[in-house]
Amino acid sequence: MDAYLSIVIPIYNEEENITALWERLSKVLAEHFADPAKPWEIIFTDDGSRDRSLPMLMDIARAEPRVKVVEFNRNYGQHSAIFGAFAEVTGRMVVTLDADLQNPPEEIPKLVAKVEEGYDVVGGWRQGRQENDSFFRTMPSKIVNAITRKTTGVKLHDYGCMLRAYSREVVDAMLLCKERSSFIPALANSFAKRVTEVPVAHAERAAGESKYGLWKLINLQFDLLTSFSLLPLQMLSVFGVVTAGVGFLLFLGLVIYRFMHPEGTAQGVFTLFAILFFFVGCQFVAFGLLGEYIGRIYQEVRDRPRYMVKKVHQAK
Ligand code: UDP
Ligand code: MG
């Protein structure tokens, strides 16, 4: 039978957390989602863990038929792991969360309630981020949030929180995106009609270490910038127009100066500069133009669905 609620959890070397996670999760599910008409399922993706995570997950799956484990052959990263699980979901709504218990499973009912209200995407908004998330972990997230807000145009406070809920339609739309690097929260918003946020608690990582270093975050940021906007390419044109404009103004200024002071002689170098500026500017405009075409090719190649039909209405 198809599930009502699917819970998706990416796992990478989380042997210290799996037992506690499973305990707390099954308690929440037993308390809030016991209705047999609304069955739940959990899909773990083992993202190429090198510790005992996979056998532990398989033990859980053997004992509980509502648990599925997707095993990756190697480590592909959190977002790919979530996609791997998305491909297996059967539920009408899908909740994602981290395995390290930073996202308390107890918050799941809140998110589900919002989806039931009719929201397509419900983001968690972490309250009181743990201070011992180091400076190098919180500062980049702030930048990520700010840039995501700019590039996607959807104003959410917290894109980094992976405790999120999606309607199945949005998940199906995301699955149709074949691109390799994608940032799920931003991608989801581009297919959602109604997006909201709910405040969620945020705990310290229960055990183990964060799998994100500065480098992975920078990478994520580039993914974000390049997968959701052509801004960097378009900046080339803007820069070119500005440079050419400055060159042109300088040239005009020199001509006027020349007429006002016909005896002045030492402006040859400046004239050369003005002309150079102008041509450098033109070159950047040309780069920008090329960039614009490349950007369009990029968008075509990604082959994202242009729209998703929810339903076709017709009187019988
Ligand atoms: N994760 C994963 N593959 C990776 C890195 C992380 O599946 O390559 C999982 C990890 O097991 C955890 C979640 O993604 O469940 C978030 O990872 P982490 O806690 O390290 O990230 P942070 O909380 O520091 O953003
Ligand atoms: Mg974490």
Side-chain angles (χ1 to χ4, degrees):
M1 189 168 78
D2 279 357
Y4 176 74
L5 167 67
S6 303
I7 296 176
V8 161
I9 308 177
I11 302 275
Y12 179 52
N13 296 343
E14 302 281 4
E15 60 181 4
E16 290 134 308
N17 295 317
I18 289 174
T19 314
L21 173 73
W22 173 238
E23 248 164 48
R24 282 171 63 180
L25 201 56
S26 33
K27 189 155 163 269
V28 173
L29 289 169
E31 270 169 25
H32 296 268
F33 301 98
D35 184 353
K38 295 180 173 180
W40 52 264
E41 66 180 355
I42 301 178
I43 297 148
F44 290 106
T45 304
D46 174 61
D47 186 15
S49 301
R50 285 163 212 277
D51 61 2
R52 290 186 306 116
S53 297
L54 181 64
M56 288 175 80
L57 293 175
M58 283 170 41
D59 282 345
I60 296 176
R62 256 190 294 277
E64 171 55 78
R66 288 171 288 187
V67 171
K68 247 189 265 184
V69 180
V70 176
E71 180 189 345
F72 277 4
N73 65 337
R74 48 157 268 222
N75 178 250
Y76 290 95
Q78 181 185 7
H79 291 259
S80 301
I82 294 176
F83 264 107
F86 276 170
E88 298 292 325
V89 299
T90 64
R92 273 189 33 210
M93 52 190 76
V94 179
V95 171
T96 60
L97 75 155
D98 286 353
D100 56 2
L101 294 167
Q102 283 189 296
N103 306 142
E106 290 75 22
E107 304 279 9
I108 294 174
K110 253 203 248 173
L111 300 183
V112 169
K114 281 283 175 198
V115 180
E116 283 171 342
E117 260 174 53
Y119 288 98
D120 293 312
V121 173
V122 183
W125 174 15
R126 289 168 289 186
Q127 304 292 306
R129 285 201 65 182
Q130 291 307 312
E131 292 311 321
N132 83 332
D133 265 7
S134 73
F135 172 76
F136 282 110
R137 186 65 192 80
T138 45
M139 210 260 310
S141 322
K142 285 210 180 109
I143 301 174
V144 171
N145 282 335
I147 296 183
T148 316
R149 239 171 278 157
K150 262 253 153 8
T151 48
T152 60
V154 182
K155 308 245 171 323
L156 289 187
H157 292 94
D158 194 350
Y159 279 91
C161 180
M162 290 311 286
L163 178 55
R164 310 178 113 251
Y166 308 96
S167 70
R168 178 64 181 280
E169 285 98 28
V170 169
V171 170
D172 285 342
M174 286 194 275
L175 282 173
L176 291 177
C177 300
K178 299 290 177 229
E179 62 223 59
R180 265 150 185 278
S181 41
S182 44
F183 184 70
I184 290 171
L187 191 61
N189 284 356
S190 61
F191 294 112
K193 184 157 144 194
R194 297 180 69 201
V195 178
T196 188
E197 269 183 321
V198 292
V200 295
H202 181 65
E204 285 169 33
R205 186 172 236 287
E209 286 188 341
S210 170
K211 275 74 188 169
Y212 277 97
L214 189 60
W215 179 241
K216 262 196 173 176
L217 276 170
I218 291 173
N219 247 331
L220 196 66
Q221 187 54 64
F222 266 110
D223 275 1
L224 213 85
L225 200 63
T226 51
S227 7
F228 291 94
S229 79
L230 300 179
L231 197 71
L233 289 174
Q234 285 157 349
M235 287 314 285
L236 284 177
S237 308
V238 173
F239 180 71
V241 169
V242 171
T243 317
V246 168
F248 189 67
L249 286 182
L250 189 58
F251 184 70
L252 271 189
L254 284 174
V255 169
I256 293 169
Y257 185 81
R258 185 81 207 204
F259 275 115
M260 282 164 58
H261 303 271
E263 72 287 356
T265 47
Q267 275 131 38
V269 180
F270 290 105
T271 315
L272 217 56
F273 261 124
I275 294 171
L276 189 69
F277 265 140
F278 183 72
F279 279 108
V280 168
C282 289
Q283 272 175 354
F284 269 93
V285 172
F287 283 149
L289 216 61
L290 285 180
E292 194 66 38
Y293 282 106
I294 293 173
R296 274 154 213 246
I297 295 170
Y298 176 46
Q299 277 177 340
E300 290 298 325
V301 167
R302 270 190 306 198
D303 209 13
R304 275 191 199 169
R306 220 174 314 163
Y307 52 77
M308 285 288 293
V309 178
K310 191 163 182 178
K311 201 174 169 192
V312 178
H313 301 268
Q314 187 184 20
K316 283 259 153 63

